[in-house]
Structures are given as C-alpha cells and as structure tokens.
C-alpha cells in the first residue's frame, strides 16, 4: 500500500507491514482532510449506498463504534454481527470463512475481530471483497497502530513528508502488557517502518515482555533502537511518548497469574510531575487502574484525542479502500 491510491482500492488490511512510508503519508493526508471535513460539515455522502459489516468475536467498544461512525459520516450504511452472540457464527458452528463469504453477499467491506491469531489472514485467502483486521488474538491491530502514529505526529507536530531533514530521535515508551498487547505489537512494527528516527523503550513486568519475534522484526530497521527496562521512572526519562496498556486479564490462564502482575504500573499525578513537560500520554483504552483519572485533566493526556483520531483515520481507510478518497 503506497502513495498511489490505486494500491489501496479493494485491498484488505491484515498488517501494518503492508504499508510503505509513502503509503502512510497518503493515509495521514486523507485523515487530515477527514478531520477538517467532520469539523466543518460533519461528513459527506461519498460512500452512499455502500455497506460496511463489522464482525466481532471479541468485545469491542471503540474500534466497532469508530468504524461504524466513520462509515456513517461518509454516507454509508452498516451491519453488525456479534460473532459470539445470537448468530449462526456463534450458535450453529459455522466456519469463519463461510460466515465472511456470506456477509460479502450483502456488504462492500468487512471489519473482522477474532480471538485466534492468524484468523483474519485465513479469511482473506478465500474472500472476494476487502477485509480489515480489527484485531486477531495477540497478533496485530493495524488500524489502532495507524491512529496511534497519526496521533503522535499530530501531537508532536511531526510530518512524515519532511524526513529528508535531520530529525531528533523520538523516544517512545511502551508500558504494561507487551506480551499479549496486539496494539503495541503493531505499533512497534509501524514505528520501525515509518522511517522516523525512534528510540523504543519496552517497560513491563518480566513475565510480560515484548515477544522476541517483534523485537527481531524491529531490529531489521536501522532507524530504530530498542531497550528494555522494568522501572517506570527510568523509562520516562527524556521520553516524548508514554504509551500505556492495561494488563489483559482475559489473556491469562488463571486468576493467580494475573494477580501477580496487575497494578504493576500506575500513571498518576506524582509520576507526571517527574515526567518531561512535553511528554504525551497515550492509551488504546479501555483502562482499568493503570492511569489515574486525575491525569485526565493534564494537557499531556492525549488518549481521548487519540480515540477521536481513530474515526478520522478509519474514515480515510474506508474512503481509500472503496476508491472514494
């Protein structure tokens, strides 16, 4: 997926590894246009008579709602299937591939979230219309990474089009459950592919460190350095971005293992008072107890702005995939 819009038309999105730096620039350019469109007009009708289906086998609030809002703000219609609810997919043992093939008969693009890593890739192999990965187990969550990087660029006034100039290293701290967090898996890959000069710091409990295969992928890119630490005070020293994730209770085999690591890190006013004055705080949400609500009023707290950016980026993605950007 490049700066040529024709490479996006009718394309499925499985992984951030499909997107080139020039493709990122195009997506972010269209995302900015969508932000202006919503601010000034609320939207338009470029996707009138097109249908988006969201199919979720795992819980979702932000991803499902932002995709649905994105489609509706561009004049399209939506269908929703609860994969574990009252549907053939959930109750009658229908295969995932058959479910998506049938849904393609009614809609133009499918957004799929599933609990099994690699499941979306298997579906795409037999699908005839675009499928967008909304999270596959502990694998990837590409649209979350895209909105995350868009937010970083927005908040820190970084342009992907001006990277010929010498850029100061950007220090990004990924904090929390890095083992199970598909958001940080995708974001680490995307930062590596972005051509930005990045210092990645992984801060997690010892049992929840960033998987080797992600670190191995990132190490192939000369624009990124990686380091791991366990102390949050050490991690935020000189940081530009603190990306917080929750400890994912649903990924643990038993409650005891979860109890050992829950509450390992808490971002509160005391921590923020020791943090760089220009360090933004991000979180894919939902949060449990890892960011105190008292931090919400800090201007460096970017997570709700981050959520709104998700709609703009998904509007841009839908417009590109459906050939209406």
């Amino acid at each position: 997926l490049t700066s040529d819009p024709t490479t996006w038309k009718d394309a499925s999105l499985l992984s951030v590894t499909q997107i080139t730096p020039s493709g990122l620039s195009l997506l972010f350019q269209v995302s900015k246009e969508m932000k202006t469109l919503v601010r000034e007009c609320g939207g338009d009708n470029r996707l009138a008579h097109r249908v988006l289906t969201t199919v979720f086998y795992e819980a979702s609030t932000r991803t499902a709602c932002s995709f649905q809002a994105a489609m509706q703000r561009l004049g399209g219609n939506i269908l929703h299937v609860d994969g574990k609810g009252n549907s053939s997919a959930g109750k009658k043992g229908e295969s995932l591939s058959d479910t998506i093939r049938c849904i393609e008969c009614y809609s133009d693009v499918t957004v799929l979230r599933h609990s099994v890593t690699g499941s979306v890739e298997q579906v795409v192999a037999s699908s005839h219309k675009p499928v967008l990965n909304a999270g596959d187990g502990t694998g990837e969550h590409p649209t979350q990474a895209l909105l995350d990087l868009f937010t970083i660029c927005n908040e820190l006034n970084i342009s992907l089009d001006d990277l010929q100039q010498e850029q100061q290293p950007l220090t990004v701290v990924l904090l929390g459950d890095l083992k199970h967090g598909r958001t940080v898996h995708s974001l680490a890959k995307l930062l590596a592919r972005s051509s930005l000069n990045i210092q990645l710091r992984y801060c997690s409990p010892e049992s929840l460190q960033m998987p080797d295969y992600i670190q191995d992928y990132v190490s192939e890119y000369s624009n990124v350095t990686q380091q791991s630490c366990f102390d949050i005070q050490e991690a935020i020293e000189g940081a530009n971005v603190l990306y917080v994730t929750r400890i994912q209770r649903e990924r643990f085999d038993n409650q005891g293992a979860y109890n050992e690591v829950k509450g390992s890190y808490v971002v509160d006013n005391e921590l923020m008072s020791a943090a760089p004055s220009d360090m933004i705080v991000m979180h894919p949400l939902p949060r449990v107890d890892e960011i105190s609500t008292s931090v919400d009023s800090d201007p460096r707290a970017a997570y709700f702005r981050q959520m709104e950016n998700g709609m703009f980026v998904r509007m841009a993605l839908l417009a590109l995939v459906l050939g209406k950007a």
Side-chain angles (χ1 to χ4, degrees):
L1 302 174
T2 72
S3 58
D4 180 356
T6 62
T7 63
W8 293 80
K9 190 175 186 300
D10 298 324
S12 291
L13 179 63
L14 297 175
S15 168
V16 295
T17 60
Q18 295 171 247
I19 307 173
T20 66
S22 69
L24 267 180
S25 293
L26 172 64
L27 180 68
F28 288 0
Q29 173 194 328
V30 179
S31 298
K32 290 176 185 176
E33 293 169 3
M34 294 301 177
K35 182 176 182 177
T36 300
L37 174 68
V38 171
R39 293 280 188 269
E40 294 181 354
C41 311
D44 62 23
N45 290 312
R46 73 184 69 193
L47 297 184
H49 310 299
R50 299 296 189 98
V51 177
L52 164 76
T53 303
T54 51
V55 185
F56 283 74
Y57 288 79
E58 287 188 321
S60 174
T61 302
R62 281 148 293 276
T63 303
C65 288
S66 64
F67 261 117
Q68 291 165 3
M71 189 67 174
Q72 290 177 316
R73 284 189 179 276
L74 294 176
N77 297 302
I78 59 168
L79 300 172
H80 180 72
V81 176
D82 180 356
K84 286 197 169 182
N86 190 26
S87 65
S88 296
K91 300 292 187 184
K92 299 181 181 179
E94 182 177 46
S95 73
L96 180 59
S97 293
D98 278 1
T99 296
I100 303 305
R101 285 291 301 275
C102 291
I103 284 169
E104 288 181 328
C105 297
Y106 319 127
S107 64
D108 301 286
V109 58
T110 301
V111 174
L112 174 62
R113 170 173 291 182
H114 200 275
S115 59
V116 177
T117 302
S119 55
V120 181
E121 183 176 6
Q122 293 176 2
V123 164
V124 168
S126 60
S127 62
H128 296 90
K129 292 180 181 177
V131 177
L132 309 178
N133 184 0
D136 60 330
T138 60
E140 278 209 47
H141 193 348
T143 63
Q144 179 69 48
L146 291 169
L147 75 91
D148 291 340
L149 182 53
F150 181 73
T151 299
I152 290 170
C153 291
N154 240 21
E155 295 283 328
L156 302 181
N157 295 314
I158 296 169
S159 173
L160 296 180
D161 298 321
D162 298 330
L163 295 184
Q164 306 90 311
Q165 305 171 18
E166 188 65 27
Q167 176 228 334
Q168 289 296 313
L170 189 68
T171 300
V172 179
V173 180
L174 303 182
L175 175 76
D177 187 348
L178 307 186
K179 176 181 179 180
H180 301 113
R182 58 194 173 203
T183 61
V184 288
H185 298 170
S186 288
L187 182 56
K189 289 181 178 180
L190 188 63
L191 287 169
R193 294 181 62 83
S194 70
S195 297
L196 291 168
N197 187 1
I198 299 287
Q199 293 180 344
L200 268 179
R201 290 182 189 159
Y202 306 131
C203 185
S204 71
E206 191 166 358
S207 61
L208 298 177
Q209 294 184 74
M210 184 67 82
D212 288 342
Y213 77 93
I214 299 293
Q215 296 191 54
D216 290 344
Y217 180 90
V218 172
S219 68
E220 296 175 6
Y221 291 83
S222 60
N223 57 303
V224 183
T225 61
Q226 303 176 88
Q227 68 178 101
S228 298
C229 61
F230 304 112
D231 180 71
I232 189 172
Q233 295 282 356
E234 177 188 345
I236 64 171
E237 187 174 338
N240 302 103
V241 179
L242 175 60
Y243 190 98
V244 187
T245 65
R246 69 185 172 91
I247 307 296
Q248 298 189 30
R249 181 174 56 186
E250 67 273 20
R251 307 292 181 194
F252 286 78
D253 293 331
N254 60 76
Q255 184 69 27
Y258 169 72
N259 289 339
E260 288 180 6
V261 293
K262 73 173 184 178
S264 295
Y265 303 105
V266 177
V267 178
D268 55 17
N269 286 335
E270 182 179 356
L271 182 78
M272 293 301 290
S273 67
S277 60
D278 56 353
M279 181 195 77
I280 62 169
V281 181
M282 299 174 62
H283 193 307
L285 301 180
R287 65 177 161 189
V288 182
D289 55 6
E290 61 277 0
I291 299 182
S292 169
T293 55
S294 63
V295 176
D296 295 355
S297 58
D298 191 309
R300 294 170 291 179
Y303 30 90
F304 291 115
R305 298 191 293 273
Q306 179 185 352
M307 293 308 106
E308 186 178 27
N309 286 336
M311 182 178 68
F312 305 138
V313 170
R314 288 168 175 138
M315 288 172 72
L317 178 60
L318 291 171
L320 285 164
V321 166
L322 293 173
K324 294 292 184 178

